[in-house]
């Protein structure tokens, strides 16, 4: 029985080429960088393939934004590693970068001729609007998933005020939020539970 359950688990485990082609598709259809990837990644890995939960996707994105590097590459590496191990992470990273690399090689020789035309400017104007919509959708989806209690709502409002109105550095806001979250956890664990 153990051998059968192990073989079933191995059959269910995603192969490296699944990660490559999934992220190749994501890299191909995502315009606007890492934040615009979130709804597509959620659709691909949570809704369609059931490889991850919504909470896991949000944790991956939070970590991808907290470490140095491009969000799109960081999130692909972390997702690939989480779903299919080290090699899965490597091929996921290659997969998400490959479409951009191929497209740049194709259009670079002719782009200079067309970049200043009115049609190209209007097309990019439309693309920017779509990107803003995707980022807003990502923020809304993450907000619904993350803000489940008063503490996270207060932390969100505090971070928003610090970054938007007081020009507080985003990195310091993340570090401060992490510290406050850790202190809140310790307070709940050692003070509130002991009093109960």
């Amino acid at each position: 029985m153990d051998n059968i359950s192990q073989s079933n688990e191995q059959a269910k485990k995603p192969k490296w080429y699944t990660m490559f082609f999934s992220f190749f598709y994501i890299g191909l259809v995502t315009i606007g960088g890492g934040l615009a990837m979130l709804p597509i990644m959620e659709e691909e890995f949570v809704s369609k393939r059931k490889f991850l939960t919504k909470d896991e996707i949000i944790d991956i994105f939070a970590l991808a934004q907290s470490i140095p590097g491009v969000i799109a590459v960081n999130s692909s590496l972390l997702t690939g590693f989480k779903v299919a191990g080290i090699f899965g992470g490597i091929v996921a990273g290659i997969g998400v970068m490959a479409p951009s690399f191929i497209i740049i090689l194709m259009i670079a020789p002719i782009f200079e001729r067309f970049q200043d035309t009115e049609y190209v400017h209007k097309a990019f104007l439309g693309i920017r609007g779509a990107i803003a919509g995707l980022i807003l959708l990502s923020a809304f989806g993450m907000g619904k998933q993350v803000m489940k209690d008063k503490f996270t709502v207060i932390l969100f409002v505090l971070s928003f005020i610090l970054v938007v109105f007081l020009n507080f550095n985003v990195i310091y806001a993340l570090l401060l939020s992490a510290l406050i979250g850790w202190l809140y956890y310790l307070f709940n664990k050692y003070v509130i539970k002991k009093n109960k």
Side-chain angles (χ1 to χ4, degrees), residues 70-165:
V70 181
I71 296 171
V73 176
N74 289 348
S75 56
S76 64
L77 292 170
L78 292 167
T79 304
F81 176 73
K82 171 81 176 168
V83 174
I86 293 172
F87 193 61
I90 293 167
V91 296
I94 294 168
V96 84
M97 290 185 286
S100 300
F101 184 72
I102 293 164
I103 290 166
I104 287 168
L105 283 178
M106 288 168 61
I107 67 167
I110 59 167
F111 187 67
E112 279 188 24
R113 286 185 237 166
F114 301 104
Q115 65 179 343
D116 293 324
T117 63
E118 187 183 351
Y119 297 111
V120 171
H121 281 289
K122 296 294 182 188
F124 277 112
L125 194 65
I127 288 167
R128 284 182 201 140
I131 290 164
L134 283 171
I135 291 170
L136 194 62
L137 180 65
S138 300
F140 181 72
M142 286 178 76
K144 275 201 314 185
Q145 193 67 23
V146 171
M147 289 189 282
K148 294 179 178 175
D149 55 22
K150 287 179 184 176
F151 173 73
T152 50
V153 172
I154 290 166
L155 205 53
F156 161 73
V157 172
L158 175 68
S159 301
F160 186 81
I161 291 167
L162 284 172
V163 173
V164 175
F165 297 108

Side-chain angles (χ1 to χ4, degrees), residues 4-15 17-18 51:
I4 293 168
S5 61
Q6 281 177 358
S7 62
N8 285 341
E9 279 180 25
Q10 286 175 350
K12 286 179 186 175
K13 191 174 180 184
K15 307 292 185 193
Y17 49 82
T18 309
F51 289 162

